[in-house]
Amino acid sequence: MRRSLSRFSVSLPTDLLRQLDAMAVARGFPNRSRALADVVRSSLVEHNAQTGAGEIAGTITLVYDHHRRGLQSALTSLQHAHQELILSVLHVHLDHANCMEVLAVRGRARSIRTLADRLAASKGMKHARLSVTATGKEFAG
Ligand code: NI
């Protein structure tokens, strides 16, 4: 499918434009337009995640000590209670004590944030990080 493109003129401070061009080169974008489109998409994904209205996809990464009493079962209970948001779970044993779990998630931004917050707030959690991305449907490509 052919993408429809619109041209528009943008005024930017000279130094900001110089930095955009430098970033485009450093990250391997073929031109300024592609680099700017990436910046705009990232901003839209972030806005969508913040406003909580739309659907997002993402990952929730958890690091915890599996010896911590009650933590593993609390995490499992939370995940069962929100299984409609969780697509897949990867569990890695980092060392003798520490586990890393990566949850692939998709759903309403507000629901995903609430789940991530509840997992992060579990007693004994060492680190939790929600990484938000697009579902893919919102951009023509
Ligand atoms: Ni483990």
Side-chain angles (χ1 to χ4, degrees), residues 17-73:
L17 184 57
R18 190 186 54 73
Q19 290 184 61
L20 174 67
D21 287 342
M23 182 198 75
V25 169
R27 295 180 59 198
F29 286 103
N31 54 53
R32 180 185 283 163
S33 292
R34 291 269 288 273
L36 194 57
D38 182 71
V39 170
V40 171
R41 286 192 195 99
S42 292
S43 184
L44 289 170
V45 165
E46 194 55 41
H47 173 71
N48 191 9
Q50 294 296 337
T51 54
E55 189 177 54
I56 58 170
T59 56
I60 302 171
T61 303
L62 310 170
V63 174
Y64 60 92
D65 182 340
H66 77 267
H67 294 124
R68 184 72 186 238
R69 184 187 294 273
L71 178 55
Q72 192 127 41
S73 71

Side-chain angles (χ1 to χ4, degrees), residues 64 66 72 91-94 98-100:
Y64 60 92
H66 77 267
Q72 192 127 41
H91 185 110
V92 178
H93 313 300
L94 293 175
N98 292 297
C99 300
M100 177 172 74

